[in-house]
Amino acid sequence: MNMMPGTTVMKAPFDTDKLDRLMDEAGLDVLIATSRHNVQYLLGGYRFFFFDVMEAIGTSRYLPAFIYQKGHPENAAYIGNRMEGFERELGSIWTPVVKTASWGTIDAIGLAVEHVRKLGGNARRVGIEAGFMPSDAKDVLASLNSFELREAHFVLERLRAVKSPGEIELIRQASERVMDAMAATFRACAPGMTKHDIVEHLKREEHERDLVFEYCLIAAGTSHNRAPSSQRLEQGDVISLDSGGNYKGYIGDLSRMGVLGEPDNELCELLEQVETIQQAARRVIKPGALGGDIIAAGETAAKSSTHRKALDFTAHGIGLVSHEAPRLTATGPVPYAPYDADRALESGMVISVETALLHPARGYIKLEDTLIVCEKGWEAPGDGCRKWNSSHSTPATSDL
């Protein structure tokens, strides 16, 4: 495919050599990315504001598509919605080819096919994200005998496994803002409030910090149920907040503990046991350590606890997606092969480490932290408020 005369070729905002190598290993000639998180990554952070929350429109849905030919970033293309012509005018999209002419899935995939057919060289083996492509669009591709469809999820996940300094800063900001929102929410808790009330308060606090609220798992009192509900809080109840706040596409996912009143000695001891496991996992995190070392360290510490039968420890990668590379274990809450268990961690990888104690009498007690692998070992953004956060605390004394 020859470039149009006068076309300016901008540098791709990702490592094209790495993507070419990954595609070669997977036997891909062309890649069609359709998940919003991977399209955002490949476009260098661009995400169309109109469909930032919803995807449905009319009788179909928004389907952005990024097309990349191995070894030829100059042929990269973006297929977007017609309203994205506004963004095109502003120069928000780097690809040499931009087609903002679709409204639904069929016309979007049709434009993608049209572009792939114009590519020079071998463009037969096409990588797609099957889990992020609507069935009607996939049916169009499958009906074309000129293409051999292959899964590209793993290729794209490995491309994103090591974060750039810009991505690290977004993750740092997301984590710090989620922690600040949680601290403010704990201070606002009072007897008589429902779990729904607390989640709504946290949502407002996250919005005030320019976060997109994604979720909050909340447990209160002696219950291990973490769904928001009409359960009312009483004096002395413990509160577990586990929330994901999205900052410009990147997730801050932390869990902290609060109490209505002051924690007694038993509560302090229980949270300390959780903290001990968290710190044991942290100590092995550094470039060159095997991913499985994190799991082994946390599980060993958990087995040494007097409450080992009630403990749940895991660790996983995090970034644009709440569970992504590095893949550390096959026994975590989200099932996938532990690809990185026997591979070295790299500086720039980001890991969520979480330990929960499901105590039969005192409730659900959990800490979850975000660890950035760096040259000196690790950095933990949003690392405040790790002890019991009392509803009596002032902003200056949220850590007891």
Side-chain angles (χ1 to χ4, degrees):
M1 180 178 180
N2 296 322
M3 297 298 302
M4 296 294 292
T7 299
T8 300
V9 180
M10 299 176 63
K11 179 177 174 58
F14 56 87
D15 187 340
T16 56
D17 289 338
K18 183 177 182 180
L19 180 55
D20 291 341
R21 175 178 56 78
L22 290 167
M23 289 178 67
D24 192 57
E25 292 172 355
L28 301 181
D29 304 314
V30 178
L31 175 70
I32 302 178
T34 50
S35 66
R36 289 196 293 176
H37 57 276
N38 276 322
V39 169
Q40 174 182 334
Y41 180 86
L42 294 164
L43 290 179
Y46 168 78
R47 188 181 181 105
F48 185 36
F49 65 90
F50 189 84
F51 292 104
D52 194 39
V53 176
M54 63 177 180
E55 292 179 324
I57 186 164
T59 59
S60 189
R61 54 156 286 188
Y62 175 58
L63 184 66
F66 179 95
I67 305 160
Y68 180 86
Q69 182 184 22
K70 184 180 66 178
H72 295 281
E74 71 277 8
N75 291 341
Y78 175 64
I79 309 299
N81 181 270
R82 290 184 185 181
M83 289 185 290
E84 287 179 88
F86 303 136
E87 298 279 16
R88 182 181 183 180
E89 291 177 7
L90 295 173
S92 304
I93 305 168
W94 75 268
T95 54
V97 177
V98 181
K99 297 181 180 180
T100 53
S102 68
W103 274 112
T105 57
I106 299 301
D107 52 351
I109 206 66
L111 290 169
V113 169
E114 179 183 290
H115 181 78
V116 173
R117 281 178 166 166
K118 291 179 180 178
L119 296 175
N122 184 1
R124 175 174 173 76
R125 299 171 299 177
V126 178
I128 64 170
E129 299 179 87
F132 297 92
M133 180 171 286
S135 61
D136 55 358
K138 185 179 178 182
D139 287 345
V140 170
L141 289 173
S143 68
L144 302 175
N145 294 330
S146 56
F147 296 154
E148 177 188 338
L149 301 184
R150 299 187 178 187
E151 180 57 64
H153 175 89
F154 184 78
V155 167
L156 289 165
E157 187 184 69
R158 299 319 297 183
L159 179 66
R160 306 193 324 268
V162 175
K163 275 57 177 176
S164 68
E167 291 180 282
I168 293 296
E169 180 57 28
L170 293 176
I171 292 170
R172 183 182 294 112
Q173 288 289 329
S175 302
E176 295 285 355
R177 294 171 191 230
V178 168
M179 189 275 292
D180 287 345
M182 284 184 173
T185 300
F186 282 128
R187 292 193 296 269
C189 291
M193 293 177 69
T194 68
K195 289 168 69 177
H196 280 305
D197 294 333
I198 296 171
V199 171
E200 285 301 313
H201 190 98
L202 178 61
K203 183 186 296 185
R204 291 193 297 272
E205 294 288 352
E206 291 191 5
H207 286 170
E208 288 181 3
R209 291 162 176 79
D210 294 326
L211 293 168
V212 176
F213 175 85
E214 291 204 350
Y215 59 85
C216 176
L217 297 165
I218 176 172
T222 61
S223 174
H224 299 161
N225 188 306
R226 298 205 291 160
S229 72
S230 58
Q231 176 188 343
R232 292 193 180 277
L233 274 68
E234 300 177 2
Q235 185 67 18
D237 277 355
V238 302
I239 308 164
S240 170
L241 296 180
D242 184 343
S243 181
N246 191 306
Y247 185 67
K248 299 183 179 180
Y250 289 81
I251 300 170
D253 184 13
L254 300 166
S255 185
R256 295 290 184 263
M257 295 302 304
V259 61
L260 287 183
E262 300 295 339
D264 56 35
N265 289 338
E266 184 182 29
L267 286 178
C268 291
E269 185 272 333
L270 293 173
L271 187 57
E272 186 60 35
Q273 289 204 28
V274 171
E275 177 70 284
T276 296
I277 298 167
Q278 290 290 100
Q279 295 299 327
R282 289 185 183 205
R283 283 193 288 272
V284 302
I285 297 177
K286 60 182 178 181
L290 301 183
D293 291 348
I294 302 172
I295 302 299
E299 290 181 343
T300 298
K303 290 176 182 177
S304 300
S305 170
T306 56
H307 298 281
R308 54 187 174 274
K309 293 183 179 180
L311 284 163
D312 184 13
F313 168 82
T314 193
H316 56 86
I318 192 169
L320 281 167
V321 179
S322 59
H323 280 255
E324 62 175 40
R327 301 183 184 184
L328 307 175
T329 176
T331 60
V334 179
Y336 41 66
Y339 181 83
D340 294 285
D342 57 357
R343 285 177 169 79
L345 299 175
E346 299 179 53
S347 182
M349 288 182 166
V350 182
I351 298 165
S352 177
V353 177
E354 49 186 303
T355 304
L357 195 167
L358 285 69
H359 195 277
R362 303 312 302 267
Y364 191 91
I365 301 172
K366 178 179 180 180
L367 291 175
E368 181 173 8
D369 307 313
T370 295
L371 283 299
I372 300 168
V373 183
C374 57
E375 292 183 4
K376 296 181 179 180
W378 51 263
E379 173 193 351
D383 218 25
C385 300
R386 304 186 56 76
K387 297 183 180 180
W388 285 102
N389 294 276
S390 171
S391 57
H392 296 163
S393 298
T394 64
T397 58
S398 59
D399 260 355
L400 297 175

